[in-house]
Amino acid sequence: MGRVRNFDRDAVLESAVDVFWERGYDGAGMQEICRVTGLNPGSVYAAFGDKHGLFIEALKSYMASMSRETIARLNSNPSGRAGIADYYAALIEAMLDGKRRWGCLVTNSIVEFAMNDPQISEAFQLHLARLETALSGAIERAKQAGELSRDVDAAEAAVFLVCTTQGLNVLAKTRPSRRTLEAITRHAFTALGFEA
């Protein structure tokens, strides 16, 4: 009979997310991972297989959490425009004063692994699809409310906003000013045709 794991898996994954997010996969040594999670190397290997297994689980946990928060934020306002504006305002705040100053764990991972890891690539595509769907829904609401031209293709506009978001995520690691971040989102709104 196997040994019962006596740790909180969600808490371990949350701690692992922070290490990988701040340091990257290669920069997160097993000693640091064990220190932060409170696990010994044997427990990490028993529970997750290896460092890569822990990383994949942490990445999936992060993406699920981000997807929930993003979808809730975009859908919390009946106005599609306001939902999108709220999403970008929260993103900017996190880039200036929160963990997003490290960039986005998903974006960082794609840059670090250069799409050579099929598990990360698959998870990334799913994450982007969720974001596109949520943004597309907000754009459709904006069109229905007359906040945006009905000629705007919601799916294409959502892809454009996802690109804008990923660009912001990369830029966040350079510690940009609020003015720079807000200018980018303002121009993205203008490009879509949102009224001021």
Side-chain angles (χ1 to χ4, degrees):
M1 182 179 208
R3 201 172 74 189
V4 177
R5 296 182 193 125
N6 57 355
F7 62 84
D8 182 334
R9 190 177 183 89
D10 291 338
V12 165
L13 290 175
E14 187 175 332
S15 297
V17 161
D18 285 350
V19 175
F20 289 125
W21 197 354
E22 184 177 10
R23 298 179 183 270
Y25 179 81
D26 285 337
M30 187 56 77
Q31 185 175 3
E32 176 69 2
I33 290 167
C34 290
R35 185 188 68 75
V36 170
T37 62
L39 299 179
N40 62 45
S43 295
V44 172
Y45 293 120
F48 303 101
D50 56 14
K51 177 182 167 182
H52 185 264
L54 173 60
F55 177 69
I56 295 295
E57 288 297 315
L59 186 63
K60 287 181 177 178
S61 175
Y62 169 87
M63 287 190 292
S65 174
M66 289 297 104
S67 290
R68 278 192 306 273
E69 288 177 24
T70 297
I71 291 166
R73 191 170 294 283
L74 286 168
N75 292 334
S76 65
N77 197 309
S79 161
R81 184 191 192 287
I84 295 169
D86 185 39
Y87 166 68
Y88 279 109
L91 195 63
I92 288 170
E93 288 305 320
M95 288 174 177
L96 294 172
D97 299 319
K99 292 179 183 177
R100 282 276 182 153
R101 68 186 181 278
W102 300 329
C104 167
L105 179 59
V106 176
T107 307
N108 295 349
S109 300
I110 290 303
V111 171
E112 184 173 6
F113 284 88
M115 301 298 283
N116 290 328
D117 188 309
Q119 283 183 286
I120 293 175
S121 178
E122 182 181 340
F124 183 63
Q125 294 304 325
L126 178 60
H127 180 69
L128 286 187
R130 287 181 186 141
L131 180 55
E132 283 176 24
T133 299
L135 286 165
S136 183
I139 291 163
E140 283 293 350
R141 288 199 317 277
K143 287 168 61 176
Q144 295 299 322
E147 300 169 332
L148 194 59
S149 168
R150 289 184 181 268
D151 295 334
V152 171
D153 183 298
E156 289 180 1
V159 170
F160 169 72
L161 289 179
V162 167
C163 263
T164 301
T165 300
Q166 296 309 312
L168 288 169
N169 285 331
V170 172
L171 186 63
K173 296 189 80 163
T174 70
R175 306 295 161 97
S177 67
R178 177 182 298 277
R179 181 179 179 189
T180 296
L181 295 171
E182 289 180 347
I184 291 167
T185 57
R186 187 171 61 251
H187 284 290
F189 267 52
T190 301
L192 284 181
F194 278 117
E195 296 295 328

